[in-house]
């Protein structure tokens, strides 16, 4: 077994300074500084020790070796704490950091080690199979496997899973499961490994559906799945964004309508419906009917005036008495008539009608499991459809990952109202692997004071999310004109390219497509190649050039 590789003298010097043990309680291999054992506990610290409320039994459960208790007891300040990071076993430091962030010891132990720690596993062989050990060590069977691993492309190394992630990947859920997690906590990675794990246990013609909200992200997921899955595993996993699945299914069932995604076209049709209805609509703000149709009528699957009269309109801002609801419903009746006359459907109506067709085919269940990525961007109609597609509740039927803090569409969902019961099967990921703490903190400060949901009617406070890496604080620059801004952007891009960064790894993101036009012109004038990521045009990595995308199109991609 090798735990450190170096030149002869340096390797021996490293070994003299380290201790390697198997923790008898957690069953994991731990490596830490030998000098840390000699750290005395101060007799009278200048201030209250950081972990004064944690007793020895709790320290043991948190994975701290007994001989390091004095070191932990000596920690007083934040500076002290991070100063001893390298002297403690990796898992023990992580556990203590959770406690420092305000988490209960029982919750920390369950997050890192599971509901019960193994105990009694003191052999190296047993410890090497422990998920905590596998955070730092891997077993290589022979020289050929070692060579193959060392020569593998970087993408192959994405197989790493934190123990808390690994448990979610391999856990048999008795019904729908939901996983929340802040940006960069590995939700999509967990979802991909979950798909791979489930595909390994498929039999016969069993298949897995992996769906997400945008075409761009679906393609990115498919590419990454190919890098971690065998050909047979990949054959059992279908990756497709939900709108594309709906379009295909409806076409296969001789659906006579075209699905319209252009919001301006639909808005004009709604305005026309209001005019034709003859109702007095002057008191309603612009966009009211489109929002009411989407967030109330379609979200709740309402089909009749009687249902609309009793429907919840919480959060809509405009009160409607019964007379008002009757008036609004007349507009919706005209809207439906116009859709029929023009042979079109908006996407949510298409989903609802897709669900009705599925309900008429109760024997049609082509997938044993459905995995949903970016669940916060799906609406009620989408989840009702997925519930119908999955069939009656069964083991591993739905696995949903998401984060309301990253919602960029107006959809809001309560899973239980879509007959998706996640009670007892809800989890959270809290460690950010991708984003620096400085970026994470800056982003969360922008959202201060805003309440976010947990996709099921509760609240996700975002408490406890943290990043493992650190870097520069995000830079905000203000300019007096668009020309001045473009000049600064072009200069920055030129400097990055000159430093060796591939232009494809640079992306300009704007709020709207019209704003991107300004940057396109600036790039063209500078001679810098560009490639725009669109709804119907994924990020083709064979095309060179700086990427441009709206916030919606860049969702889930990395640069």
């Amino acid at each position: 077994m090798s735990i450190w590789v170096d030149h002869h003298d340096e390797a021996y010097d490293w070994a003299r300074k380290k201790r390697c043990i198997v923790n008898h309680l957690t069953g994991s291999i731990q490596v830490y500084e030998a000098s840390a054992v000699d750290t005395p506990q101060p007799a009278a610290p200048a201030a209250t020790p950081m972990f004064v409320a944690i007793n020895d039994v709790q320290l043991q459960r948190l994975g701290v070796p007994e001989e390091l208790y004095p070191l932990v007891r000596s920690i007083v300040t934040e500076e002290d704490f991070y100063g001893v990071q390298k002297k403690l076993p990796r898992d023990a430091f992580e556990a203590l950091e959770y406690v420092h962030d305000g988490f209960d010891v029982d919750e920390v132990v369950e997050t890192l080690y599971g509901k019960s720690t193994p105990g009694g596993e003191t052999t190296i062989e047993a410890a090497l199979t422990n998920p905590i050990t596998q955070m730092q060590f891997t077993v290589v069977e022979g020289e050929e496997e070692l060579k193959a691993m060392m020569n593998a492309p970087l993408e192959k190394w994405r197989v790493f899973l934190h123990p808390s992630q690994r448990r979610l990947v391999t856990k048999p859920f008795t019904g729908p499961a939901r996983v929340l997690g802040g940006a960069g906590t590995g939700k999509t990675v967990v979802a991909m490994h979950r798909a791979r794990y489930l595909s390994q246990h498929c039999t016969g013609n069993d298949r897995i559906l992996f769906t997400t909200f945008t075409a761009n992200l679906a393609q990115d997921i498919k590419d990454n799945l190919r890098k971690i899955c065998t050909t047979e595993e990949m054959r059992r996993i279908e990756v497709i964004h939900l709108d594309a699945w709906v379009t295909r299914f409806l076409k296969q069932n001789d659906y006579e309508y075209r699905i319209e995604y252009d919001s301006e076209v639909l808005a004009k049709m709604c305005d026309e419906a209001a005019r034709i209805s003859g109702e007095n609509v002057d008191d309603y703000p612009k966009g009211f009917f489109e929002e009411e149709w989407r967030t109330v009528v379609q979200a709740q699957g309402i089909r009749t005036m009687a249902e609309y009269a009793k429907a919840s309109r919480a959060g809509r801002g405009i009160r409607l008495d019964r007379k008002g609801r009757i008036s609004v419903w007349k507009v919706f009746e005209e809207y439906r008539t116009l859709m029929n006359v023009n042979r079109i459907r908006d996407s949510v109506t298409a989903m609802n009608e897709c669900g009705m067709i599925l309900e008429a085919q109760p024997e049609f269940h082509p997938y044993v499991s459905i995995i949903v990525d970016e669940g916060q961007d799906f609406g009620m109609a989408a989840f009702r459809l997925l519930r119908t597609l999955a069939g009656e509740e069964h083991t591993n039927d739905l696995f949903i990952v998401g984060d309301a803090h990253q919602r960029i569409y107006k959809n809001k969902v309560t899973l239980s109202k879509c007959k998706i019961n996640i009670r007892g099967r809800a989890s959270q990921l809290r460690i950010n692997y991708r984003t620096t703490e400085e970026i994470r903190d800056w982003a969360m400060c922008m959202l201060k004071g805003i309440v976010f949901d947990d996709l099921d009617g509760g609240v996700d406070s975002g408490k406890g999310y943290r990043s493992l890496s650190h870097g520069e604080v995000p830079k905000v620059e203000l300019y007096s004109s668009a020309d001045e801004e473009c000049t600064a952007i072009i200069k920055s891009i030129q400097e990055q390219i000159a430093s060796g960064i591939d232009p494809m790894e640079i992306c300009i993101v704007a709020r709207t497509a019209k704003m991107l036009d300004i940057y396109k012109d600036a790039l063209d004038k500078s001679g810098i190649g560009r490639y725009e990521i669109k709804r119907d045009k994924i990020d083709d990595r064979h095309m060179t050039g700086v990427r441009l995308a709206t916030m919606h199109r860049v969702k889930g991609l990395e640069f």
Side-chain angles (χ1 to χ4, degrees):
M1 172 180 169
S2 296
I3 58 175
W4 186 263
V5 178
D6 207 333
H7 294 292
H8 181 276
D9 292 346
E10 287 82 352
Y12 273 84
D13 183 57
W14 182 92
R16 277 192 293 269
K17 296 177 181 178
K18 302 290 181 180
R19 286 201 181 183
C20 178
I21 67 167
V22 175
N23 188 303
H24 76 277
L25 185 69
T26 66
S28 63
I29 296 175
Q30 295 182 318
V31 178
Y32 53 92
E33 296 278 352
S35 61
V37 177
D38 301 324
T39 302
Q41 182 174 358
T48 303
M50 183 177 291
F51 298 104
V52 66
I54 305 299
N55 60 41
D56 288 355
V57 173
Q58 290 173 316
L59 284 180
Q60 183 185 44
R61 295 180 63 215
L62 291 169
V64 179
E66 185 176 356
E67 57 187 0
L68 295 184
Y69 292 177
L71 174 65
V72 174
R73 299 290 183 208
S74 71
I75 298 171
V76 174
T77 66
E78 190 109 352
E79 186 178 359
D80 292 340
F81 182 51
Y82 287 100
V84 303
Q85 180 173 358
K86 293 183 179 180
K87 295 183 177 182
L88 291 167
R90 177 176 169 179
D91 55 307
F93 179 82
E94 185 174 329
L96 289 169
E97 190 168 23
Y98 271 125
V99 173
H100 175 53
D101 288 340
F103 286 88
D104 180 76
V105 170
D106 290 339
E107 186 178 2
V108 176
V109 172
E110 181 177 341
T111 297
L112 286 178
Y113 308 118
K115 289 187 180 298
S116 61
T117 49
E121 300 287 1
T122 57
T123 67
I124 292 291
E125 291 78 12
L128 284 170
T129 65
N130 187 293
I132 297 292
T133 300
Q134 291 173 353
M135 292 171 61
Q136 304 176 73
F137 300 98
T138 187
V139 178
V140 179
E141 302 289 346
E143 185 177 347
E144 291 306 313
E145 184 179 347
L146 178 61
K147 285 181 179 178
M149 183 176 71
M150 297 305 293
N151 292 326
L154 182 61
E155 292 85 354
K156 285 287 186 180
W157 291 80
R158 293 188 71 170
V159 297
F160 165 77
L161 289 171
H162 185 274
S164 58
Q165 296 173 323
R166 189 181 300 276
R167 278 191 291 275
L168 292 174
V169 166
T170 60
K171 183 175 182 178
F173 290 100
T174 57
R178 183 224 61 201
V179 179
L180 296 181
T185 54
K187 297 182 300 298
T188 300
V189 171
V190 165
M192 289 193 297
H193 281 275
R194 178 73 174 173
R196 180 192 182 200
Y197 173 78
L198 292 175
S199 74
Q200 293 169 341
H201 293 79
C202 285
T203 60
N205 295 319
D206 290 350
R207 299 188 71 209
I208 312 295
L209 174 65
F210 193 123
T211 190
T212 188
F213 200 73
T214 67
N216 312 76
L217 187 53
Q219 184 59 48
D220 192 59
I221 288 167
K222 185 181 293 185
D223 291 342
N224 283 315
L225 271 172
R226 288 194 184 105
K227 293 164 184 172
I228 65 171
C229 291
T230 65
T231 301
E232 178 60 22
E233 290 166 354
M234 199 67 202
R235 185 183 67 80
R236 294 183 178 276
I237 304 171
E238 179 182 0
V239 184
I240 184 171
H241 71 286
L242 192 58
D243 282 334
W245 192 94
V246 169
T247 300
R248 185 185 69 191
F249 178 79
L250 291 175
K251 186 176 181 180
Q252 291 169 346
N253 284 268
D254 300 320
Y255 195 65
E256 299 177 352
Y257 303 91
R258 173 177 60 85
I259 303 177
E260 178 61 68
Y261 295 99
D262 190 324
S263 58
E264 291 186 8
V265 171
L266 296 171
K268 288 179 181 178
M269 190 181 300
C270 214
D271 290 341
E272 178 67 5
R275 185 188 66 77
I276 295 173
S277 73
E279 296 297 310
N280 181 10
V281 298
D282 294 339
D283 293 337
Y284 298 108
K286 183 176 177 58
F288 168 80
F289 291 101
E290 300 100 286
E291 285 290 297
E292 186 78 2
W293 174 258
R294 184 180 60 81
T295 62
V296 178
V297 177
Q298 296 294 64
Q300 298 178 45
I302 295 170
R303 301 175 187 177
T304 66
M305 172 61 214
E307 292 174 341
Y308 182 58
K310 297 182 292 184
S312 169
R313 300 183 62 258
R316 288 293 291 130
I318 296 177
R319 295 188 62 185
L320 291 177
D321 56 18
R322 181 173 177 80
K323 182 180 179 181
R325 295 198 186 205
I326 292 173
S327 177
V328 170
W329 188 255
K330 289 180 179 179
V331 174
F332 293 151
E333 287 180 331
E334 295 297 341
Y335 181 62
R336 281 177 167 168
T337 298
L338 286 174
M339 284 199 293
N340 288 334
V341 169
N342 291 283
R343 313 307 290 170
I344 68 173
R345 290 288 189 263
D346 58 62
S347 61
V348 183
T349 299
M351 281 187 188
N352 281 331
E353 293 181 350
C354 182
M356 293 168 64
I357 294 173
L358 282 170
E359 287 172 359
Q361 303 176 20
E363 74 289 345
F364 181 75
H365 296 296
Y367 310 104
V368 292
S369 299
I370 298 176
I371 294 174
V372 182
D373 191 32
E374 301 291 354
Q376 75 280 349
D377 288 327
F378 286 70
M380 299 285 281
F383 276 114
R384 283 200 305 271
L385 172 61
L386 290 168
R387 176 67 278 172
T388 302
L389 182 59
E392 293 296 320
E393 185 174 300
H394 60 272
T395 300
N396 298 330
D397 54 353
L398 284 160
F399 187 83
I400 302 160
V401 301
D403 175 25
H405 296 85
Q406 299 180 67
R407 181 181 287 126
I408 59 174
Y409 296 89
K410 296 180 180 180
N411 297 323
K412 191 172 181 180
V413 69
T414 302
L415 292 173
S416 59
K417 293 182 178 179
C418 301
K419 298 182 180 179
I420 298 176
N421 174 26
I422 60 168
R423 192 176 297 111
R425 296 182 292 271
S427 308
Q428 273 188 300
L429 296 170
R430 295 189 175 97
I431 304 171
N432 188 323
Y433 300 95
R434 184 178 66 211
T435 310
T436 64
E437 178 63 16
E438 288 72 17
I439 292 175
R440 189 205 63 78
D441 185 60
W442 187 87
M444 292 304 293
C445 283
M446 298 289 288
L447 304 177
K448 190 174 182 180
I450 303 175
V451 177
F452 292 89
D453 63 278
D454 66 353
L455 312 187
D456 200 37
V459 174
D460 179 12
S461 66
K463 175 180 176 289
Y465 293 144
R466 59 185 176 83
S467 299
L468 294 180
S469 60
H470 291 270
E472 296 181 11
V473 175
K475 183 164 57 176
V476 179
E477 295 187 2
L478 304 178
Y479 301 97
S480 58
S481 67
D483 287 342
E484 185 182 342
E485 179 190 39
C486 286
T487 299
I489 289 174
I490 295 301
K491 180 182 178 183
S492 176
I493 290 174
Q494 289 171 334
E495 290 173 349
Q496 291 179 65
I497 294 174
S499 71
I501 295 176
D502 191 318
M504 289 194 295
E505 297 303 324
I506 301 170
C507 187
I508 299 176
V509 184
R511 179 67 185 85
T512 66
K514 289 182 179 179
M515 291 176 65
L516 283 180
D517 291 338
I518 299 173
Y519 306 124
K520 291 179 196 173
D521 292 341
L523 288 168
D524 292 342
K525 290 175 182 177
S526 70
I528 298 174
R530 62 176 173 85
Y531 179 86
E532 185 176 0
I533 303 171
K534 297 182 179 180
R535 179 187 182 93
D536 56 352
K537 187 178 179 183
I538 62 172
D539 186 7
D540 185 347
R541 303 305 284 179
H542 295 97
M543 301 293 292
T544 60
V546 171
R547 271 39 186 169
L548 297 104
T550 62
M551 290 174 63
H552 292 73
R553 298 284 75 81
V554 81
K555 182 75 172 174
L557 305 182
E558 295 183 27
F559 296 92

